[in-house]
Amino acid sequence: MVNLADTGSGTVGSDEVGPAVLRPDGTLIAFSGTNSGQNAFYNTATGTWAATGAAGDFPAGPGTSHYAVADGPASLFPNGNVLVMASPVYPTNPPGVFNPPSHFFEFDGTNLTQVADSPNAASFISYQGRMLLLPSGEVLLTAYNQGGDQLLRPNARTNSPIKTPSVPSQDIADVVLYSNGGAPQDAWRPVITTAPSTVVQGNTYSISGTLFNGFSEGAFYGDDAQMSTNYPLVRITNHATGHVFYARTHNHSRMGVEAVGSGEIVTTQFDVPASVELGTSDLVVVVNGIPSLPANTVIATPRPTPTPRLRPTPAPRP
């Protein structure tokens, strides 16, 4: 049995927990928030839990610590792998569960492999990072060390510092993009079934298809912040210039994630930007950084409203 939350015997009792990311095969990878560093799968089809095993667990950290995620971010990649930010968690307090440095790991369904760190990862605790899965398929990481001696508890319920740094600290932040270069399987893509062949700048249209909400919510956090991207975006690329425009989407007929292979039709509306370039274009639906195959459309100009003609009023007959 794997204890994922920092609570119970052998823990500090912080009640912190790591992120859990839904993958294309229907399994949820849940990252440990405890000193054990042991991660686990939840199978959504069978409703059962299983340990990832040593290949999928975090490595040991300095001293008696293990790398883990006592609050912190993780994000899906379009190819189904998962990026996670972890830092040392100790079994006693002090040092406790909130300690730099952070390292980054990528999970491929079996193995958890350490990857390149962000420029200032050595200054961060895992809870100080956030991730967002972008329409490009890249992961945006933001991290901030909260100003050194102003380290606050991640739930911000008190202003008492977690610990006093041994040396004066400075404000340190990272805002960086990370990509693993992987591509999705075609079965994971949203599929457009109905789309307008011609659209006009500034107007609103409907578009329908399958997997418009994706098979996952995208990026996740422990228990404080969420940054879901399981909704359809509409991207328009002009054939002549290659310029890309995004249309605002709204009034989705569904918001819940769907299993890969679902045939349920989802409909959303999109507002064509007034600034979009005219001419033939590709229209694509993007969910969690995974694009559909393109539909061809033509961007047209609004027809001018006819100016009403004033007719003279006939003079009254005598």
Side-chain angles (χ1 to χ4, degrees), residues 272-284:
V272 180
S275 60
V276 71
E277 294 169 339
L278 302 178
T280 56
S281 302
D282 283 342
L283 191 151
V284 166

Side-chain angles (χ1 to χ4, degrees), residues 158-169:
T158 75
N159 284 332
S160 58
I162 294 169
K163 58 187 69 177
T164 301
S166 56
V167 295
S169 296

Side-chain angles (χ1 to χ4, degrees), residues 85-87 99-104 116-126 128-129 141-146 170-176:
M85 180 180 183
S87 55
N99 304 280
S102 283
H103 289 306
F104 293 82
D117 284 337
S118 67
N120 294 297
S123 299
F124 303 132
I125 306 166
S126 65
Q128 295 170 330
L141 169 77
T142 61
Y144 172 51
N145 76 335
Q146 296 181 274
Q170 298 176 330
D171 285 346
I172 298 174
D174 278 342
V175 180
V176 292

Side-chain angles (χ1 to χ4, degrees), residues 4 11 31 73 85 90 101 107 112 135 169 175 192 196 207 212 250 257 267 288 292 310 317-318:
L4 296 169
T11 73
F31 293 106
M85 180 180 183
Y90 287 81
F107 182 71
L112 186 69
S169 296
V175 180
I192 298 172
I207 188 169
F212 273 23
H250 51 94
V257 298
T267 299
N288 293 330
S292 69
L310 296 177
R317 294 181 179 180

Side-chain angles (χ1 to χ4, degrees), residues 74-99:
S75 178
L76 183 75
F77 283 119
N79 71 342
N81 288 6
V82 176
L83 180 70
V84 62
M85 180 180 183
S87 55
V89 171
Y90 287 81
T92 57
N93 192 17
V97 300
F98 305 124
N99 304 280

Side-chain angles (χ1 to χ4, degrees), residues 257-275:
V257 298
E258 304 158 90
V260 170
S262 170
E264 180 176 345
I265 299 296
V266 177
T267 299
T268 191
Q269 292 182 300
F270 67 98
D271 301 334
V272 180
S275 60

Side-chain angles (χ1 to χ4, degrees), residues 6-48:
D6 188 63
T7 183
S9 176
T11 73
V12 172
S14 69
D15 296 331
E16 302 295 352
V17 8
V21 181
L22 189 57
R23 301 182 62 252
D25 62 0
T27 60
L28 186 88
I29 173 65
F31 293 106
S32 174
T34 77
N35 172 255
S36 74
Q38 293 178 326
N39 303 317
F41 285 120
Y42 179 75
N43 189 314
T44 59
T46 63
T48 56

